[in-house]
Amino acid sequence: MEFFVQQLVAGLTSGSIYACVALGLVMIYVSTDHINFAQGEMAMFATYIAWAMINAGLPYWVAFGATILIAFAGGLFIQRVILKPLEAAPVLSLVVCFIALLSIFNALAGMIWSYTIKQFPTPFPARDLFGSGLVSVQQIGVVGVTLLMLGLLTVFFHYTTLGLAMRAAAQNAASARMMGIRVSWMLALGWGLAAAIGAVAGMLVAPIVFLDPNMMTGILVYGFAGALVGGIGSPFGAVIGGFIVGVLENLVGSYIIGNELKLTFALVIVVGVLLVKPAGLFGRVVVRRV
């Protein structure tokens, strides 16, 4: 029973990171109908920026906040400068652009910081909670930071004018334009928020898996699986899906298939959801007339 509780808590910790990645993917998907394949590499690059600032002497939480702002500005820049001219381009052109961004961020990180694995600091004490041996302070901290960020996003999208405008632009761009909402800028803000959320995920996972240019490759697959399980068009569903995938892959890996095949299990989840319930647990089936 003690081992089960440990694996359950570890799964929730992983799931909180997958939830961040899934939420970033969903935010871009609901506004553009496309999957950002570079989401993981953008998060990795932001994490390297945080590592550089911490090594330069900045306190962890100062570097954490500064990295979120830098990532937000970077996502805004990518949408306005690179993707805006491609708004009317074919889907294949956008897919190639996303893959190009993935390769560029990976190569830049390797060129600037090398491919040597680096240790990323954690602000949480390296001890068990209440000396129980079941739950560590770092695990609680990771889940807590994730839930705090998700709570702030919920308040932003439901109770602020800008958040409501972003939701309107994502749900019906034509009607939003008639109401005076600058849809193009709402899309740019969505990209900025997705990049900031990805940066949080990168900084939370780096102390666990160590920092290197390829650290987010598997995390992106898990995040994508979480987004599909919860519903690729539902931010709330993506968060729930991320936690579900985190718990399932940890328990299945510990009791059934072993840790070596956990990533394969995530791919099986992706295929299974697409076959059985493509809209996900909380997604909606959208019918378009053509």
Side-chain angles (χ1 to χ4, degrees):
M1 187 62 187
E2 181 176 328
F3 179 75
F4 174 80
V5 173
Q6 288 176 334
Q7 297 307 312
L8 181 63
V9 173
L12 290 172
T13 304
S14 302
S16 65
I17 297 168
Y18 304 157
C20 289
V21 176
L23 186 60
L25 291 171
V26 167
M27 287 189 65
I28 293 177
Y29 179 82
V30 296
S31 57
T32 66
D33 280 338
H34 301 298
I35 298 295
N36 178 22
F37 297 106
Q39 181 73 18
E41 303 306 297
M42 291 167 61
M44 172 273 299
F45 197 85
T47 307
Y48 265 108
I49 293 174
W51 176 84
M53 287 191 288
I54 293 171
N55 272 13
L58 284 179
Y60 179 91
W61 291 112
V62 174
F64 188 91
T67 300
I68 292 176
L69 294 177
I70 292 171
F72 178 84
L76 203 71
F77 175 84
I78 288 173
Q79 198 283 330
R80 299 303 295 175
V81 175
I82 299 175
L83 297 175
K84 190 175 186 302
L86 298 175
E87 285 182 352
V91 174
L92 184 59
S93 299
L94 288 169
V95 171
V96 171
C97 182
F98 293 147
I99 295 174
L101 286 172
L102 182 155
S103 301
I104 289 169
F105 279 115
N106 188 280
L108 277 177
M111 182 180 68
I112 297 171
W113 293 289
S114 82
Y115 287 90
T116 304
I117 294 176
K118 296 174 175 61
Q119 189 169 6
F120 193 87
T122 175
F124 307 112
R127 65 171 185 268
D128 295 331
L129 189 66
F130 307 124
S132 62
L134 297 176
V135 182
S136 70
V137 175
Q138 179 173 345
Q139 289 174 321
I140 295 298
V142 169
V143 175
V145 169
T146 303
L147 293 179
L148 175 62
M149 182 191 66
L150 297 178
L152 292 174
L153 285 174
T154 300
V155 172
F156 172 74
F157 281 113
H158 287 84
Y159 301 104
T160 67
T161 302
L162 183 58
L164 292 172
M166 290 181 65
R167 291 177 62 194
Q171 292 175 5
N172 193 321
S175 297
R177 286 191 182 94
M178 294 176 64
M179 297 298 295
I181 296 174
R182 302 178 67 179
V183 173
S184 182
W185 272 104
M186 295 302 104
L187 298 181
L189 289 175
W191 266 84
L193 285 175
I197 293 168
V200 173
M203 288 183 284
L204 291 179
V205 76
I208 302 172
V209 303
F210 297 104
L211 181 60
D212 81 277
N214 299 310
M215 73 170 191
M216 293 298 292
T217 302
I219 305 296
L220 181 64
V221 176
Y222 289 125
F224 183 54
L228 284 177
V229 169
I232 194 66
S234 169
F236 173 78
V239 173
I240 300 300
F243 279 107
I244 290 174
V245 170
V247 171
L248 283 181
E249 62 100 10
N250 220 57
L251 293 179
V252 171
S254 299
Y255 287 102
I256 301 177
I257 61 176
N259 292 330
E260 297 81 5
L261 295 176
K262 288 201 297 186
L263 186 59
T264 304
F265 176 72
L267 295 173
V268 170
I269 291 178
V270 171
V271 175
V273 171
L274 291 175
L275 289 175
V276 178
K277 200 175 190 305
L281 296 177
F282 300 93
R284 296 180 302 170
V285 177
V286 179
V287 179
R288 291 188 175 95
R289 292 183 177 181
V290 295

